[in-house]
Structure formats: structure tokens, C-alpha cells
Amino acid sequence: MRNGNWRISGRLKNLIILNSGHNVAPEPLEDALARELPEAAQVVILGNQRSFLAALVTAQPSNGPKAERVQAAVDAANAGLPHYKTIRAFHIVPEPLTIENGMLTANGKLKRDAIVARFATEIERLFEKKTA
């Protein structure tokens, strides 16, 4: 809130609510990580009702990002963010999210529920790995 005006940073429907009660709009974080990682096709931030944020990074059809490169991009995107907005884990998905595989709308927006359902096993591993 600057000068008494509200700034809308994403759709309320997409708001991530962490276990700590912090509300996080995923779009600015996804954009920041995508800027740091141009070789990624898409970035999806996850963490609803979890204790921290994680990211799914999808690969371009020709060549995808390597884990070291993604970690460097996550570190750069996390710089200067409050602790609850930092991305603490990631998973690289080998194929891009497309309209044809049901992960994007006709307008090219992420279908977050479909993505979470499709990658449920990978997502669970992300959150288990950091809490164990």
C-alpha cells in the first residue's frame, strides 16, 4: 500500500495461504523466477496450507534448465524477500504445461488445480523433503 492506495498483484482466487497465516500472491514470485530463468517454459509457485513455498519449473521442449541453474535462479529471486515469501524447494518438470495436456486454459493461464492434481506425488515429495 503506497500513498493510501491498494496495489493488486494477482487474482484473489490464486492467493496462497500458508500455515503461518501469511497470504502470498504467486504471480509476482513466478514472474521474478521466470525472469531469472529464461530457459524455463513456466514456473508455478505452490504452498497452500503448507509451511513454505515451493516451485514447479517446466522445461522448454528443446532443452530445460539444470538443477544448479534453477537453484541459482531461486536464490536470486529470493533475495530481499521476507522469509515467508522465499521459495525453499523446487521440482523440474520435463515437459511444458500446455492447453493440449489440460494444464493451461484457452487463454494460456495456469490451471492450478489441474497442475496440483497431475503432479501430486512430486509436490508431496517437495514438502516431505524439506520438513523431514
Side-chain angles (χ1 to χ4, degrees):
M1 197 162 122
R2 204 180 292 162
N3 298 330
N5 297 320
W6 288 92
R7 191 177 119 228
I8 299 172
S9 60
R11 295 181 68 189
L12 186 60
K13 179 180 174 181
N14 294 340
L15 199 62
I16 295 172
I17 302 172
L18 298 172
N19 280 346
S20 63
H22 290 102
N23 295 338
V24 179
E27 291 91 349
L29 297 173
E30 292 166 347
D31 292 343
L33 188 53
R35 274 192 306 276
E36 296 290 333
L37 199 62
E39 61 267 30
Q42 293 105 357
V43 176
V44 182
I45 300 295
L46 310 159
N48 206 28
Q49 296 303 311
R50 306 289 186 145
S51 56
F52 61 89
L53 297 175
L56 289 180
V57 178
T58 64
Q60 293 282 2
S62 58
N63 59 349
K66 305 290 185 246
E68 302 82 27
R69 177 75 181 103
V70 175
Q71 185 61 57
V74 166
D75 293 342
N78 283 344
L81 291 176
H83 70 90
Y84 64 91
K85 284 190 176 182
T86 58
I87 301 163
R88 297 190 190 168
F90 65 88
H91 175 73
I92 301 172
V93 178
E95 75 272 359
L97 307 175
T98 63
I99 296 168
E100 291 78 25
N101 66 19
M103 302 295 131
L104 297 178
T105 66
N107 294 334
K109 304 277 187 209
L110 297 171
K111 286 186 174 180
R112 293 181 187 277
D113 292 338
I115 293 166
V116 168
R118 163 64 180 83
F119 297 106
T121 305
E122 293 86 347
I123 292 168
E124 282 304 314
R125 272 193 233 125
L126 280 175
F127 290 102
E128 287 172 4
K129 193 180 347 177
K130 292 290 182 177
T131 56

